[in-house]
């Protein structure tokens, strides 16, 4: 699955707006705060399928 940044942002904003669990919101906040600019630039230029990784991360929460 590949997607452009604007589509990804819109989808994330919609999903995050629906979250009511404060612990989940804190975890998301921590992830966003720890994204470095270099990683973001790499993500923009190299599209990767992170679906499996995200599913496993959510299961572990």
């Amino acid at each position: 699955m590949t997607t452009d940044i604007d589509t990804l942002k819109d989808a994330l904003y919609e999903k995050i707006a629906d979250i009511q669990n404060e612990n989940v919101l804190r975890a998301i906040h921590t992830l966003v705060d720890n994204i470095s600019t270099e990683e973001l630039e790499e993500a923009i230029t190299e599209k990767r399928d992170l679906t499996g990784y995200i599913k496993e991360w959510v299961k572990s929460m």
Side-chain angles (χ1 to χ4, degrees):
M1 176 177 114
T2 59
T3 187
D4 67 28
I5 296 298
D6 291 332
T7 302
L8 179 60
K9 282 183 187 178
D10 291 343
L12 286 173
Y13 290 145
E14 288 176 22
K15 295 289 184 183
I16 291 171
D18 292 339
I19 296 172
Q20 300 298 318
N21 185 322
E22 187 175 335
N23 290 331
V24 173
L25 292 171
R26 282 189 184 142
I28 292 169
H29 181 85
T30 301
L31 285 172
V32 171
D33 281 351
N34 289 312
I35 295 175
S36 72
T37 305
E38 291 173 9
E39 290 172 347
L40 185 56
E41 288 299 319
E42 179 183 319
I44 291 170
T45 58
E46 291 182 26
K47 295 184 180 185
R48 296 180 291 177
D49 182 7
L50 299 177
T51 306
Y53 174 79
I54 292 170
K55 285 180 182 176
E56 290 302 316
W57 175 73
V58 170
K59 284 182 193 176
S60 70
M61 290 184 63

